[in-house]
Short mmCIF file of all heavy atoms in Angstrom, two decimals:
data_model
loop_
_atom_site.label_atom_id
_atom_site.label_comp_id
_atom_site.label_asym_id
_atom_site.label_seq_id
_atom_site.Cartn_x
_atom_site.Cartn_y
_atom_site.Cartn_z
N VAL A 213 101.46 161.94 103.82
CA VAL A 213 101.50 160.78 102.93
C VAL A 213 102.01 161.19 101.55
O VAL A 213 102.83 160.50 100.93
CB VAL A 213 100.10 160.12 102.84
CG1 VAL A 213 100.06 159.07 101.76
CG2 VAL A 213 99.73 159.51 104.19
N PHE A 214 101.57 162.36 101.09
CA PHE A 214 102.00 162.84 99.77
C PHE A 214 103.52 163.08 99.74
O PHE A 214 104.21 162.63 98.82
CB PHE A 214 101.26 164.14 99.42
CG PHE A 214 101.75 164.78 98.16
CD1 PHE A 214 101.48 164.21 96.92
CD2 PHE A 214 102.53 165.94 98.19
CE1 PHE A 214 101.96 164.79 95.74
CE2 PHE A 214 103.01 166.52 97.02
CZ PHE A 214 102.72 165.94 95.79
N MET A 215 104.02 163.74 100.77
CA MET A 215 105.47 164.05 100.78
C MET A 215 106.30 162.76 100.85
O MET A 215 107.36 162.67 100.24
CB MET A 215 105.81 164.99 101.93
CG MET A 215 105.25 166.38 101.71
SD MET A 215 105.90 167.61 102.86
CE MET A 215 105.04 167.20 104.37
N ARG A 216 105.79 161.79 101.60
CA ARG A 216 106.50 160.50 101.66
C ARG A 216 106.45 159.80 100.31
O ARG A 216 107.44 159.25 99.84
CB ARG A 216 105.87 159.62 102.75
CG ARG A 216 106.53 158.26 102.88
CD ARG A 216 105.96 157.44 104.03
NE ARG A 216 104.54 157.15 103.86
CZ ARG A 216 103.80 156.46 104.74
NH1 ARG A 216 104.34 156.03 105.86
NH2 ARG A 216 102.52 156.24 104.52
N GLU A 217 105.27 159.86 99.68
CA GLU A 217 105.10 159.18 98.39
C GLU A 217 106.01 159.73 97.30
O GLU A 217 106.63 158.97 96.56
CB GLU A 217 103.65 159.35 97.94
CG GLU A 217 102.91 158.06 97.72
CD GLU A 217 101.43 158.34 97.57
OE1 GLU A 217 101.05 159.15 96.69
OE2 GLU A 217 100.69 157.77 98.37
N ILE A 218 106.09 161.05 97.21
CA ILE A 218 106.96 161.60 96.14
C ILE A 218 108.41 161.67 96.60
O ILE A 218 109.28 162.11 95.86
CB ILE A 218 106.50 162.98 95.62
CG1 ILE A 218 106.52 164.03 96.74
CG2 ILE A 218 105.14 162.94 94.96
CD1 ILE A 218 106.49 165.44 96.17
N ASP A 219 108.65 161.27 97.84
CA ASP A 219 110.00 161.26 98.41
C ASP A 219 110.67 162.62 98.19
O ASP A 219 111.72 162.73 97.55
CB ASP A 219 110.83 160.13 97.77
CG ASP A 219 112.18 159.99 98.46
OD1 ASP A 219 112.26 160.30 99.66
OD2 ASP A 219 113.15 159.57 97.80
N THR A 220 110.03 163.64 98.73
CA THR A 220 110.54 165.00 98.53
C THR A 220 111.91 165.14 99.22
O THR A 220 112.13 164.59 100.29
CB THR A 220 109.52 166.05 99.05
OG1 THR A 220 109.95 167.34 98.63
CG2 THR A 220 109.38 166.05 100.56
N ASP A 221 112.81 165.87 98.56
CA ASP A 221 114.15 166.06 99.13
C ASP A 221 114.13 167.11 100.23
O ASP A 221 114.98 167.10 101.12
CB ASP A 221 115.12 166.51 98.02
CG ASP A 221 115.18 165.50 96.90
OD1 ASP A 221 115.59 164.36 97.16
OD2 ASP A 221 114.77 165.83 95.76
N MET A 222 113.18 168.03 100.11
CA MET A 222 113.05 169.09 101.12
C MET A 222 111.58 169.25 101.43
O MET A 222 110.73 168.97 100.58
CB MET A 222 113.59 170.42 100.56
CG MET A 222 115.04 170.33 100.12
SD MET A 222 115.56 171.73 99.12
CE MET A 222 114.88 171.37 97.52
N ALA A 223 111.28 169.72 102.65
CA ALA A 223 109.88 169.92 103.03
C ALA A 223 109.74 171.24 103.78
O ALA A 223 110.23 171.35 104.92
CB ALA A 223 109.39 168.75 103.89
N GLY A 224 109.12 172.22 103.13
CA GLY A 224 108.92 173.52 103.76
C GLY A 224 107.56 173.55 104.44
O GLY A 224 106.53 173.49 103.78
N ILE A 225 107.59 173.62 105.77
CA ILE A 225 106.34 173.56 106.52
C ILE A 225 106.26 174.75 107.46
O ILE A 225 107.19 175.02 108.21
CB ILE A 225 106.28 172.25 107.34
CG1 ILE A 225 106.28 171.05 106.39
CG2 ILE A 225 105.06 172.22 108.26
CD1 ILE A 225 106.55 169.73 107.05
N GLY A 226 105.14 175.47 107.39
CA GLY A 226 104.99 176.62 108.28
C GLY A 226 103.52 176.94 108.48
O GLY A 226 102.67 176.49 107.70
N PRO A 227 103.23 177.69 109.54
CA PRO A 227 101.82 178.03 109.81
C PRO A 227 101.26 178.97 108.76
O PRO A 227 102.00 179.79 108.19
CB PRO A 227 101.90 178.74 111.16
CG PRO A 227 103.29 179.33 111.20
CD PRO A 227 104.16 178.34 110.47
N PHE A 228 99.98 178.85 108.50
CA PHE A 228 99.26 179.86 107.71
C PHE A 228 99.10 181.10 108.59
O PHE A 228 98.72 180.99 109.75
CB PHE A 228 97.88 179.30 107.30
CG PHE A 228 96.89 180.38 106.95
CD1 PHE A 228 97.07 181.18 105.83
CD2 PHE A 228 95.78 180.61 107.75
CE1 PHE A 228 96.17 182.18 105.51
CE2 PHE A 228 94.86 181.60 107.43
CZ PHE A 228 95.05 182.39 106.31
N ILE A 229 99.43 182.26 108.01
CA ILE A 229 99.26 183.53 108.74
C ILE A 229 98.38 184.44 107.89
O ILE A 229 98.77 184.79 106.77
CB ILE A 229 100.64 184.19 109.02
CG1 ILE A 229 101.52 183.22 109.84
CG2 ILE A 229 100.47 185.52 109.74
CD1 ILE A 229 102.96 183.68 110.03
N PRO A 230 97.18 184.79 108.38
CA PRO A 230 96.26 185.54 107.53
C PRO A 230 96.77 186.94 107.18
O PRO A 230 97.30 187.63 108.04
CB PRO A 230 94.97 185.62 108.36
CG PRO A 230 95.36 185.29 109.75
CD PRO A 230 96.60 184.47 109.69
N HIS A 231 96.64 187.29 105.92
CA HIS A 231 97.06 188.61 105.46
C HIS A 231 95.83 189.50 105.32
O HIS A 231 94.84 189.09 104.69
CB HIS A 231 97.78 188.45 104.10
CG HIS A 231 98.46 189.71 103.66
ND1 HIS A 231 97.77 190.85 103.35
CD2 HIS A 231 99.77 190.00 103.49
CE1 HIS A 231 98.63 191.79 103.00
NE2 HIS A 231 99.86 191.29 103.07
N PRO A 232 95.88 190.73 105.88
CA PRO A 232 94.68 191.58 105.89
C PRO A 232 94.15 191.96 104.50
O PRO A 232 92.97 192.26 104.36
CB PRO A 232 95.13 192.84 106.65
CG PRO A 232 96.63 192.81 106.63
CD PRO A 232 97.02 191.36 106.56
#
Side-chain angles (χ1 to χ4, degrees):
V213 170
F214 174 71
M215 290 192 286
R216 179 176 62 181
E217 238 168 56
I218 61 163
D219 187 29
T220 190
D221 302 297
M222 302 166 282
I225 296 166
F228 159 66
I229 301 172
H231 190 295

